[in-house]
Amino acid sequence: MIDAKDIARKVDTVQELLSVKFGIKRAPLEKMLARAGRRIPKRMQARTRTLIKAQHLAGHPKLAHQIDGQQVAQAYADVTAHLKSIDVADRRKSRLLGLAGVVVFNLLFVIVAFVVWMWWRGYV
């Protein structure tokens, strides 16, 4: 049987990984998951909710017997493996390249629109 200290340690590890990988301020795991939003796949969100549910149940001695230790361990392993595989530098680089692409596209669009306008008015 899994005890409350073990679940608290696992939740604390997941909170630390969310804080490091996504820059989310430390809060209860449920709020951190909400702040992460779509950056975490739905499957991992469901596994994280398993940890949240286990944490709530572990706080009550009679309800703690309902916790499936194997399911919690599997959810913890899956979530930590996913969060550890995230490369923060690659995410930052991808975001900057995406922003640069949008700026270049908008700049080209404005230049083409200006040239078309000049041609239409007869200046070119």
Side-chain angles (χ1 to χ4, degrees):
M1 184 175 148
I2 194 165
D3 62 337
K5 289 181 183 178
D6 188 37
I7 292 174
R9 183 183 52 78
K10 289 179 180 185
V11 167
D12 188 50
T13 304
V14 171
Q15 286 175 324
E16 182 65 33
L17 285 171
L18 283 171
S19 179
V20 169
K21 298 296 183 173
F22 294 112
I24 300 171
K25 191 169 126 180
R26 290 288 296 236
L29 185 56
E30 196 168 6
K31 286 187 178 182
M32 291 181 80
L33 183 63
R35 287 188 182 135
R38 294 186 307 171
R39 293 181 282 181
I40 297 177
K42 287 190 182 281
R43 187 176 69 243
M44 290 302 130
Q45 287 182 9
R47 299 249 165 75
T48 307
R49 284 191 186 90
T50 302
L51 291 173
I52 293 169
K53 182 180 175 187
Q55 185 182 25
H56 288 304
L57 291 176
H60 304 285
K62 289 186 178 181
L63 296 178
H65 296 290
Q66 295 178 0
I67 299 172
D68 183 10
Q70 185 177 7
Q71 186 179 10
V72 170
Q74 184 64 41
Y76 171 73
D78 291 345
V79 169
T80 53
H82 174 73
L83 291 175
K84 286 179 181 179
S85 70
I86 294 173
D87 186 13
V88 178
D90 187 46
R91 285 185 61 240
R92 186 180 308 121
K93 185 174 66 171
S94 297
R95 189 173 60 230
L96 288 175
L97 286 174
L99 179 66
V102 168
V103 168
V104 168
F105 175 78
N106 288 336
L107 188 62
L108 285 174
F109 182 76
V110 168
I111 291 171
V112 167
F114 181 71
V115 170
V116 167
W117 178 76
M118 287 184 62
W119 174 74
W120 183 38
R121 297 289 289 177
Y123 296 122
V124 176

